[in-house]
Amino acid sequence: MPILRRWRVAALSVIVTLGLIYYLRNNPNAGFGSSRGSTYLQKTSYDDGKFHWTKHPDKNPVSELIPLPTGTPKKIPAVQAKVPVEDASRKEERLARRAAVLESFTHSWEGYKQHAWLRDEVAPVSGKYKDTFGGWAATLVDSLDTLWIMGLKQDFEMAVKAVEEIDFTTTEEFEINVFETTIRYMGGFLAAYDVSEGKYPVLLMKAVEVGELLMCCFDTPNRMPKTRWDWKSYSEGAAQKAGRALVSELGSLSLEFTRLAQLTGDNKYFDAIQRIDDHFQWSQNSTKLPGMWPISVDAAGPHFNSDTMFTLGGMSDSLYEYFPKKYLLLGGLLEQPKTLYENFIVVAKEHMFFRIFNPKNEALTVSGDIRMTGQDLKEVRLEPQGQHLTCFTGGMVGLAARIFERPEELALAEELTAGCVWAYDSNPNGIAPEIFRVIPCPKEDGKNCEWKEEVWYDGIDALHPSAAPHETSEDRLDRLKDHATKQNLVPGLTYIHDKKYILRPEAIESVFIMYRITGDQKWADTAWRMFQAIEKVSRTEIAAAAIADITVSPDEVKNQKVDSMESFWLAETLKYFYLCFDDWGSVSLDEWVLNTEAHPLRRPGT
């Protein structure tokens, strides 16, 4: 390590330590556990009439902590392509697009500041507020690093000052969602601390506060967390036991707890999540679909072999997303996440990814769902539906193709991303619905996938057959055309399970990653097309609104606004759009790892 860098690290350590001491002395409800979690400085009495969380000594203490891997980070292959060449005209266009995204963010942020400051969400139609994630200012915390990245430093410092008012010892919620609290709050504080280069110690303090709160849910006989945590029962001294959990909620804590361990030097945070990943490794080949894990698992065992439903979509997604990202965050010093990824992706490629029929005969791939059926539950049945939530898959495959040196899968990453872009471009409003059904190309003959309108109608008919006993071919065609029109089915879609759009980021996430990996201008142009479409339908006088039915005609969509704007609109969606038009080195994928809420965490050695 160069002398200058060592000096900077030492100086930063001193600054942080002094900041911690000052903060602890002036904020008695904050503190640090020891490496065994035995101590925590916390205020013992309150006069606000509310019930407050109290930390207790562990009933199920760890005898020996699993330490963070140590050593010099491995040399990992570069993720990003070389800086694209741009002339003056192209640069002017890029900066104009960036300015448009910045204006959109500022509009929604100002709406939040005016109508919902220190609440979880602003209601973008009524101007009211909602507390959906503990009442701990989710939008504010989720937006911190975006503010810094976009150069809004004055607002960033105002928000940092405000986070001191957030009291994580109390909430109106009966149960705390451990996954959401981890990715939004802990991830938000850690990323803001990292991007601001440790200049605001309070951000690490608040990350520790959240970490100490969440560590209590790991106090179970097998050290598996209660993912929906009854914090009041815990505070009253009740014993805890893990129960059934969504696999994504159990398996998507690793980045945040790892980074907290790296920054604090406290191995208990890494130990907590590494025990979970060890169980994933031990069970990987014993599920109903060996190589992957089902949506629902029993964390009390833990047992992973009872559920028969497998997906990369909702309730599973970020479990898989975090494998290559954990590898990066640990500097390649732990092989386990690489092994877990490489074992699962083989299964996904064989059973879950499929080419789809589409009018332009493009090479488009979608990630579907799998149900294990048959008497012995060993028959693989593909549910050929796409989810907006699975649109992260293209970016994940592309990232892993780079860092794990799997170049043959870059084409697959492009096809998966293109499949989601097609779902956007095919819709009359230029935005994909939440869940939709498509037609798989023949697996045994992928080349036999040329578009035929009758194949599309056959797909619709299979889901919606006629009740008439004797239907002529002409009547059948008329019926199917009428059904497609009434259901807003564009050619290639056979059913739309969920027609809403809630400002989701997954599609633009993959577009951003593919742009950084390839440097191909087509991805930046795609991002701009998507941004314009979303901005057109979602903007309100206050902020941006979700859409109840994105499949209606452009003339009708203005009446579909829902009074909801989740915090990921500012944390993820607009951040990814902005980064598609920002300088090439901004949040470089060779220096940062983005958690599932798009919070950038600093990679070691960068």
Side-chain angles (χ1 to χ4, degrees):
M1 180 183 289
I3 294 175
L4 180 59
R5 181 175 294 180
R6 283 202 299 266
W7 180 86
R8 288 178 62 191
V9 170
L12 180 59
S13 298
V14 171
I15 292 170
V16 169
T17 301
L18 292 174
L20 296 181
I21 294 171
Y22 174 82
Y23 184 76
L24 291 173
R25 286 180 174 175
N26 290 276
N27 294 269
N29 66 321
F32 289 95
S34 73
S35 61
R36 297 300 177 95
S38 59
T39 60
Y40 183 72
L41 303 178
Q42 184 178 6
K43 189 175 179 178
T44 56
S45 63
Y46 299 85
D47 57 5
D48 57 6
K50 297 179 180 179
F51 189 96
H52 287 261
W53 159 71
T54 302
K55 188 175 181 67
H56 299 296
D58 278 359
K59 290 181 169 62
N60 304 278
V62 174
S63 59
E64 186 175 354
L65 294 173
I66 302 172
L68 279 164
T70 58
T72 303
K74 287 186 177 180
K75 184 174 176 57
I76 298 174
V79 176
Q80 295 203 165
K82 293 181 179 179
V83 182
V85 176
E86 61 179 2
D87 58 21
S89 175
R90 178 59 57 82
K91 183 177 181 179
E92 182 180 5
E93 177 185 69
R94 175 176 63 82
L95 294 179
R97 291 174 172 182
R98 186 181 70 174
V101 178
L102 175 61
E103 191 281 329
S104 178
F105 176 91
T106 303
H107 174 70
S108 290
W109 171 249
E110 289 296 328
Y112 171 75
K113 283 167 58 180
Q114 182 177 348
H115 297 277
W117 188 245
L118 283 173
R119 314 307 297 221
D120 284 347
E121 297 173 8
V122 64
V125 177
S126 66
K128 298 178 181 179
Y129 65 80
K130 300 179 181 181
D131 283 334
T132 49
F133 294 106
W136 296 321
T139 293
L140 186 153
V141 178
D142 243 356
S143 302
L144 285 169
D145 57 79
T146 312
L147 289 166
W148 183 275
I149 290 165
M150 292 187 177
L152 302 172
K153 301 300 168 52
Q154 185 174 349
D155 277 84
F156 175 85
E157 293 193 343
M158 177 180 64
V160 168
K161 181 66 177 176
V163 304
E164 297 182 20
E165 300 178 39
I166 303 173
D167 183 3
F168 286 103
T169 69
T170 189
T171 174
E172 296 298 318
E173 299 291 332
F174 174 70
E175 292 181 330
I176 291 175
N177 186 316
V178 172
F179 164 73
E180 296 289 358
T181 304
T182 299
I183 66 169
R184 296 179 193 240
Y185 291 111
M186 190 193 296
F189 287 130
L190 290 170
Y193 181 79
D194 269 353
V195 298
S196 61
E197 300 181 329
K199 296 174 182 176
Y200 301 85
V202 66
L203 295 170
L204 183 55
M205 303 309 115
K206 301 305 284 189
V208 170
E209 281 187 35
V210 177
E212 288 297 325
L213 173 73
L214 297 179
M215 281 298 295
C216 298
C217 77
F218 288 87
D219 186 14
T220 64
N222 66 353
R223 301 300 299 183
M224 294 296 102
K226 288 181 65 67
T227 56
R228 304 299 175 99
W229 182 47
D230 185 344
W231 65 282
K232 287 187 178 180
S233 292
Y234 167 87
S235 297
E236 292 168 345
Q240 301 183 132
K241 182 180 179 181
R244 292 211 68 83
L246 298 176
V247 74
S248 61
E249 295 185 344
L250 185 65
S252 305
L253 312 173
S254 59
L255 293 187
E256 298 80 7
F257 277 82
T258 295
R259 189 60 184 145
L260 187 60
Q262 290 173 334
L263 288 171
T264 63
D266 196 334
N267 278 318
K268 71 180 178 186
Y269 301 119
F270 181 74
D271 173 271
I273 57 90
Q274 187 54 39
R275 292 175 185 273
I276 299 173
D277 281 358
D278 285 346
H279 281 290
F280 280 117
Q281 182 178 29
W282 298 331
S283 64
Q284 186 166 26
N285 293 320
S286 61
T287 68
K288 294 289 190 294
L289 183 63
M292 298 187 70
W293 299 267
I295 287 175
S296 176
V297 299
D298 180 8
H303 302 297
F304 300 86
N305 59 356
S306 59
D307 193 6
T308 59
M309 193 70 186
F310 297 78
T311 181
L312 291 180
M315 301 174 287
S316 295
D317 43 5
S318 46
L319 162 68
Y320 301 96
E321 173 193 353
Y322 271 24
F323 293 148
K325 291 183 175 182
K326 183 181 179 184
Y327 181 85
L328 287 173
L329 192 58
L330 289 171
L333 295 175
L334 186 65
E335 284 290 308
Q336 182 190 62
K338 178 182 179 182
T339 301
L340 291 169
Y341 176 86
E342 292 185 331
N343 288 343
F344 113 74
I345 198 64
V346 173
V347 179
K349 286 166 64 176
E350 181 179 357
H351 297 296
M352 198 165 279
F353 300 160
F354 60 95
R355 286 264 184 94
I356 65 170
F357 279 96
N358 63 92
K360 293 184 179 179
N361 296 317
E362 297 175 280
L364 307 175
T365 295
V366 166
S367 179
D369 301 334
I370 295 293
R371 173 78 71 181
M372 301 305 293
T373 63
Q375 189 172 2
D376 57 0
L377 297 178
K378 291 185 178 180
E379 296 177 20
V380 178
R381 188 181 76 194
L382 173 67
E383 296 291 339
Q385 65 181 25
Q387 299 182 37
H388 201 290
L389 279 166
T390 63
C391 285
F392 84 95
T393 308
M396 175 193 68
V397 172
L399 180 67
R402 282 288 206 221
I403 66 172
F404 297 148
E405 297 183 278
R406 304 168 67 90
E408 71 282 0
E409 289 173 0
L410 281 174
L412 173 62
E414 292 221 19
E415 287 190 19
L416 285 162
T417 306
C420 288
V421 172
W422 170 82
Y424 267 67
D425 288 341
S426 298
N427 189 281
N429 292 294
I431 303 171
E434 185 80 353
I435 305 176
F436 51 91
R437 197 174 184 93
V438 289
I439 308 170
C441 296
K443 189 90 174 179
E444 63 279 2
D445 185 11
K447 295 181 180 180
N448 185 22
C449 199
E450 187 172 332
W451 175 257
K452 299 181 183 67
E453 200 166 61
E454 56 266 31
V455 173
W456 176 43
Y457 288 131
D458 288 345
I460 297 174
D461 197 24
L463 297 173
H464 306 282
S466 172
H470 304 291
E471 184 180 47
T472 67
S473 58
E474 290 82 3
D475 289 343
R476 174 180 179 273
L477 183 59
D478 289 342
R479 173 177 60 83
L480 294 173
K481 286 182 177 180
D482 182 62
H483 178 84
T485 300
K486 289 180 178 178
Q487 296 299 316
N488 301 324
L489 297 176
V490 297
L493 299 187
T494 58
Y495 186 65
I496 303 176
H497 301 263
D498 190 339
K499 297 183 176 183
K500 65 177 176 287
Y501 173 67
I502 61 171
L503 307 174
R504 283 205 184 277
E506 293 79 16
I508 184 56
E509 173 185 351
S510 285
V511 169
F512 160 70
I513 293 174
M514 292 313 301
Y515 181 41
R516 290 293 182 89
I517 286 175
T518 66
D520 191 333
Q521 180 64 28
K522 75 176 182 182
W523 295 115
D525 293 338
T526 296
W528 179 240
R529 192 166 67 247
M530 293 165 64
F531 170 75
Q532 288 180 299
I534 296 170
E535 184 75 0
K536 181 178 180 181
V537 303
S538 67
R539 192 178 181 103
T540 70
E541 291 185 3
I542 294 167
I547 305 299
D549 184 351
I550 198 62
T551 71
V552 300
S553 72
D555 292 335
E556 299 174 291
V557 74
K558 62 184 177 182
N559 300 318
Q560 296 293 322
K561 288 185 174 68
V562 179
D563 203 14
S564 173
M565 186 187 85
E566 285 213 43
S567 63
F568 54 62
W569 169 243
L570 299 181
E572 299 186 73
T573 311
L574 288 177
K575 181 186 295 163
Y576 282 126
F577 278 121
Y578 185 87
L579 290 174
C580 285
F581 311 121
D582 201 9
D583 295 340
W584 195 248
S586 177
V587 191
S588 168
L589 298 178
D590 293 311
E591 299 175 0
W592 300 90
V593 178
L594 285 85
N595 85 336
T596 198
E597 195 75 3
H599 293 310
L601 306 174
R602 173 71 74 176
R603 286 174 51 178
T606 63

